[in-house]
Structures are given as structure tokens and as C-alpha cells.
Amino acid sequence: MKHILAVLVENKPGVLVRVAGLFARRGFNIESLAVGRTMDPGISRMTIEVDADEKTLEQINKQLNKLVNVIKISNLTQEPSVDRELVLIKVKAPASSRAEIQQIVETFRAKIIDVSLQSLIIEVTGNEEKLEAIQLLLSHYGILEIVRTGKIALLRGSKTIKNGEVK
């Protein structure tokens, strides 16, 4: 089962390397990773998606909690939350297929952010299913390049993670 972990860490050099190294040493695979500062400049938030059973997830939590720079780990999978990713897709787009590609882009509420003579770059945000669907449709035209951010997530409603606690 996939789990989304919100990990609050000290905003210091080397923290990302230590967290990623822990996963590598233990043989845990990171499906998705996004890191950014929080409203407190001394704290960063890592959103980590892992595919793990309950036993493995427990091990991940124990190992992460041993790291000095880790402040708090919250499993957003157990709470109502919203998650999104950003994808940039460069697709072959000769003049003959641009209208069809534009129609796909509009259907998915995506944006064309760059145009050249033979290609388009499309920006799409959404959940994993939406991103996979547009990628599948655009693959028929020839995807030249694709890049995805890591998944980010927030708790729904008025719930927040403050000082490492869901409130």
C-alpha cells in the first residue's frame, strides 16, 4: 500500500542526504519525494511517498525517528488529505496535430507553456491518475521528454500539522 509521509526536519545542510541514505541502506524505495521550507525558516517539510506494508512502514518510522534532524513524522494516508504532482511533458507537435493536442490539453485543464516549430511543452498538475491519463493520450503523438515533481500533500479542512502534531 502506498503511504504519504509528511516529515518535518531541521532546515540544515545534509538532512536530505541522511534521509535518502537511510532509505537506501535499509532497502526501502522512495516512490516520490518533495522537499521545501515551511513557514518557519528553520524547518523543512519532506513529503515522501513509499509503497510499504504495515511492518515495513513501522520500520521506516522507527529509523526516521532515530535521525537527529527529524522533528516529526505524520502519515497523511490515515487522514483526509489532498495530494498533487506537477508534470512537464514535451511532445512532438507538427502543425497537423496541434489542434488535437490542444483539445487534450484543454480537457485536462493543463497549459501549453512553450511552443516551438516541432514540439510543445505542456504543464499539468493533478493526482496520479490524471497525470497517467494525459501521459497515455499524449504518448500517441510522441513524448520527447517528461519530468515530474514529487507528490505534495496537505490535510483537508482546518486540520494542519503544527509543531509536528496534526491539529
Side-chain angles (χ1 to χ4, degrees):
M1 177 177 172
K2 289 190 179 183
H3 296 271
I4 300 172
L5 305 177
V7 183
L8 296 178
V9 297
E10 295 173 359
N11 188 10
K12 294 186 175 177
V15 174
L16 175 58
V17 171
R18 284 190 281 286
V19 170
L22 178 144
F23 275 79
R25 283 190 308 278
R26 301 286 184 226
F28 304 140
N29 189 39
I30 296 173
E31 298 285 327
S32 171
L33 174 66
V35 184
R37 289 188 316 259
T38 64
M39 291 176 64
D40 179 342
I43 298 176
S44 288
R45 177 177 165 155
M46 295 182 171
T47 305
I48 304 171
E49 182 179 36
V50 294
D51 192 357
D53 57 28
E54 290 303 317
K55 184 178 177 184
T56 304
L57 183 64
E58 185 179 328
Q59 281 297 321
I60 290 169
N61 278 311
K62 285 180 183 178
Q63 296 299 318
L64 283 172
N65 275 313
K66 288 181 182 180
L67 294 178
V68 174
N69 302 113
V70 172
I71 299 167
K72 179 68 178 176
I73 305 161
S74 301
N75 188 341
L76 300 185
T77 312
Q78 300 167 350
E79 300 282 342
S81 61
V82 175
D83 63 78
R84 294 289 183 266
E85 277 186 84
L86 167 69
V87 176
L88 298 178
I89 303 170
K90 185 184 291 187
V91 63
K92 287 183 188 175
S96 60
S97 62
R98 289 199 180 199
E100 294 171 17
I101 294 170
Q102 177 67 36
Q103 197 168 30
I104 293 169
V105 168
E106 289 173 8
T107 300
F108 282 85
R109 287 188 242 145
K111 296 178 193 169
I112 295 174
I113 59 170
D114 186 66
V115 178
S116 72
L117 291 175
Q118 294 298 315
S119 67
L120 300 171
I121 297 179
I122 299 162
E123 174 185 301
V124 191
T125 59
N127 62 23
E128 192 171 350
E129 293 80 20
K130 177 181 177 180
L131 302 180
E132 295 295 331
I134 193 169
Q135 184 178 335
L136 178 65
L137 289 172
L138 292 173
S139 68
H140 298 290
Y141 299 96
I143 293 176
L144 300 170
E145 201 170 355
I146 189 165
V147 63
R148 284 175 90 146
T149 64
K151 187 174 286 189
I152 56 172
L154 283 176
L155 294 171
R156 287 189 179 272
S158 59
K159 287 185 175 184
T160 60
I161 298 175
K162 288 194 178 177
N163 300 324
E165 300 296 324
V166 176
K167 296 182 181 191

